[in-house]
Amino acid sequence: MANQGVNTAEPKPGILAIIFGAGAIGLGVLCNLKANGVEDILVSDVVPNRLQAVEQLGGIPVNAKDANVFDVALERFGSITDIYGVERADVDLYFDAAGGPGDCTEFATGAKRGAKLVALALSGNTVILDPEAPPAA
């Protein structure tokens, strides 16, 4: 599943990525991205031993209890300004490997134009995207 998700995203060396979830799928995505030459990968999770595995595999761990991954991405990767004047993290690919109820919504309100989201772990949670909602500040 992780390999297929990464192949779907068509990563290239030099792009920036975020993975939501450092379980088996998220770590598989991390390894596949690394194998495709992607070096700068933030991985968000709350389980300490998973975050330790992220670091050992060459990813950048982000403890979601302590920090918002979008804020970390802005700090580490820089930003672009969208047409509304809102700063967006300069991240190209996002992978939802956790199925958290807010991951897709966070992507929709926080990602830059043209970024891709590959959802690999879906849950029974309903995701509502409001096209009328103002962009996140």
Side-chain angles (χ1 to χ4, degrees):
M1 182 180 291
N3 187 46
Q4 182 176 350
V6 172
N7 288 342
T8 298
E10 300 177 333
K12 306 280 186 265
I15 62 118
L16 305 170
I18 290 177
I19 302 168
F20 299 105
I25 297 170
L27 294 177
V29 169
L30 174 60
C31 292
N32 275 276
L33 287 171
K34 287 290 193 176
N36 279 280
V38 179
E39 292 298 321
D40 297 311
I41 307 162
L42 294 175
V43 185
S44 177
D45 206 298
V46 296
V47 180
N49 66 338
R50 289 181 178 185
L51 294 169
Q52 185 178 19
V54 167
E55 191 167 28
Q56 290 171 345
L57 293 169
I60 304 164
V62 177
N63 189 327
K65 288 181 182 177
D66 300 331
N68 179 294
V69 72
F70 285 96
D71 293 338
V72 175
L74 282 169
E75 181 182 311
R76 291 195 69 129
F77 300 154
S79 66
I80 62 156
T81 303
D82 69 13
I83 62 172
Y84 301 103
V86 177
E87 281 192 24
R88 306 284 182 179
D90 191 12
V91 175
D92 307 294
L93 294 177
Y94 294 81
F95 295 87
D96 183 357
D103 296 342
C104 291
T105 304
E106 284 187 48
F107 168 80
T109 59
K112 72 179 184 180
R113 182 178 175 95
K116 293 180 187 178
L117 169 68
V118 178
L120 298 169
L122 301 176
S123 69
N125 298 308
T126 301
V127 176
I128 298 172
L129 303 177
D130 181 1
E132 302 293 322

